[in-house]
Amino acid sequence: MEKKNLRIVFMGTPEFAVGSLQRLVENGYNVVAVVTQPDKPVGRHGSVLRPSPVKEYALAHGLPVLQPLKMKDEHFLEQLRSYNADLQVVVAFRMLPEVVWAMPRFGTFNVHAALLPDYRGAAPINWAVINGETLTGVTTFFLDHDIDTGRIIAQRQFPIPDDADVEYVYDGLMQLGAQLCTDTVDLVLSTDGNAPSQPQQDSDAHHAAPKIFKETCAIDFSLTAKRIYDFVRGLSPVPGAWCLLTPRDANAPAQVLKVYKTAKTGESSAGGALVSSAPDHNAANTHDQPTGVEPGTLKAENRRLFVATVDEWLEIVELQPAGKKRMAARDYLNGFQHPEHFLLK
């Protein structure tokens, strides 16, 4: 069978999935339909519906689009069957029931932005950077009953530089995933649907990559400078790490401050007013030890802003005060007087 005859249904929603869909379309693969999430209500009253990036691309290239509310809906299943797909390709979509992933004769494979079985879950790119990984990658695997556990078809590695944020890794994996997507389709074609695959090796040592919520993004300044540095870049620019700028005067309100970029200084934060040396109940999990300056303490030197962590001073390079735009810390300091009167929590 030639690629122009292989009937493919593509499933995906965000920009990350567009990279793979675009590569399939531009390289002459026969994408017969696209499945994506329903349009998302936006605006103050939710009166405006925003199509997904995948839908926008599909419509711009004349591809039929299906947007089921429920994947087991009989009308949707009837529509899906009508396309008589040989293969389904899934990129950043949702968990599929067996009635969907088992429908094509060659099965359904997923492009996942991690080196499975590590980082199974909804946010593998964020968590890889948050955890300070120096290497990640993409995996294609056949879907089965449990999320991100199917037989691995192929993998490609991607190095993470120490100064990279999520945007850099996201863009790199989107392109690498698109390449692996078409390579996997070619493998399916060349083996007449019998692409070799290997079972995943489960281990307690593997990291999870759960969905990220607002509460997940709160910075804990009682951790080490390295862990906070990785945490910030692992959430930058979206959804963004945040903390509370809290006046030491307890009667004044705290303000939300987003932090987009930090820099390690290597300068110890020991000294100054000592904090309690009582044992930290979380120390067994974090391996962080109490230090001299209260974590979250601010200081400004030469138009640069620093915050104390449990072991070192960390420079805040880019931030966003509540109600204002993202800015360099040096610009923020033009209107921020006496940072020593505040604490980040």
Side-chain angles (χ1 to χ4, degrees):
M1 180 185 294
E2 296 182 6
K3 66 182 182 181
K4 65 180 180 180
N5 298 322
L6 182 76
R7 298 177 64 82
I8 298 173
V9 168
F10 184 89
M11 300 183 181
T13 295
E15 181 188 8
F16 187 87
V18 174
S20 293
L21 177 58
Q22 180 178 2
R23 190 174 178 92
L24 288 168
V25 170
E26 292 184 353
N27 285 275
Y29 294 86
N30 186 22
V31 180
V32 296
V34 169
V35 183
T36 190
Q37 292 280 62
D39 294 358
K40 184 178 180 180
V42 296
R44 179 173 297 180
H45 304 292
S47 57
V48 177
L49 294 178
R50 177 181 296 168
S52 72
V54 162
K55 179 180 178 179
E56 289 181 333
Y57 181 88
L59 293 180
H61 291 80
L63 300 174
V65 175
L66 306 179
Q67 295 179 274
L69 288 173
K70 296 181 179 180
M71 299 303 292
K72 292 184 178 180
D73 177 77
E74 283 300 328
H75 178 64
F76 163 67
L77 293 175
E78 183 179 344
Q79 285 183 299
L80 191 59
R81 289 190 192 98
S82 72
Y83 288 103
N84 195 28
D86 300 301
L87 178 70
Q88 288 176 159
V89 177
V90 180
V91 185
F93 192 45
R94 57 197 288 188
M95 190 169 181
L96 302 180
E98 183 175 3
V99 68
V100 173
W101 56 257
M103 192 178 295
R105 62 183 181 131
F106 292 160
T108 300
F109 77 78
N110 184 288
V111 180
H112 186 73
L115 297 174
L116 292 173
D118 217 5
Y119 292 103
R120 292 172 177 159
I125 305 176
N126 296 96
W127 285 109
V129 181
I130 287 171
N131 290 334
E133 301 286 2
T134 58
L135 186 70
T136 186
V138 289
T139 302
T140 52
F141 67 96
F142 286 116
L143 266 63
D144 64 10
H145 295 92
D146 298 317
I147 189 166
D148 297 338
T149 61
R151 294 177 64 89
I152 292 175
I153 307 167
Q155 294 184 316
R156 299 287 186 276
Q157 295 183 342
F158 183 85
I160 305 177
D162 183 65
D163 61 348
D165 61 14
V166 160
E167 186 172 44
Y168 173 89
V169 182
Y170 183 99
D171 290 344
L173 292 183
M174 179 170 65
Q175 297 306 317
L176 188 61
Q179 178 182 331
L180 187 59
C181 175
T182 53
D183 288 349
T184 302
V185 173
D186 289 343
L187 182 60
V188 170
L189 272 169
S190 66
T191 59
D192 195 27
N194 296 302
S197 59
Q198 301 295 326
Q200 296 187 34
Q201 301 299 318
D202 287 330
S203 168
D204 292 339
H206 297 142
H207 301 89
K211 186 175 181 179
I212 290 176
F213 300 94
K214 180 180 178 181
E215 296 76 16
T216 315
C217 303
I219 304 171
D220 181 358
F221 289 98
S222 69
L223 302 178
T224 64
K226 172 67 165 65
R227 292 185 64 187
I228 297 170
Y229 170 80
D230 292 336
F231 184 79
V232 169
R233 66 193 183 97
L235 296 168
S236 180
V238 177
W242 62 272
C243 57
L244 292 177
L245 179 67
T246 308
R248 292 185 181 272
D249 177 358
N251 295 322
Q255 297 181 8
V256 175
L257 194 70
K258 278 199 169 185
V259 180
Y260 290 99
K261 186 176 182 180
T262 64
K264 293 173 286 186
T265 67
E267 180 185 345
S268 172
S269 57
L274 293 176
V275 298
S276 170
S277 58
D280 181 354
H281 295 296
N282 294 321
N285 297 324
T286 65
H287 304 291
D288 296 332
Q289 301 297 323
T291 187
V293 176
E294 183 179 5
T297 296
L298 290 169
K299 72 174 181 178
E301 291 182 0
N302 301 319
R303 297 191 65 202
R304 295 167 67 187
L305 183 63
F306 302 88
V307 60
T309 71
V310 75
D311 61 345
E312 298 176 359
W313 290 98
L314 187 68
E315 182 178 3
I316 297 177
V317 180
E318 291 184 18
L319 48 78
Q320 183 177 8
K324 297 185 179 180
K325 64 179 182 180
R326 178 175 173 176
M327 65 181 70
R330 63 178 179 273
D331 296 326
Y332 176 67
L333 286 172
N334 290 334
F336 181 49
Q337 302 299 319
H338 304 295
E340 67 275 8
H341 294 170
F342 295 82
L343 193 69
L344 295 185
K345 293 184 177 180

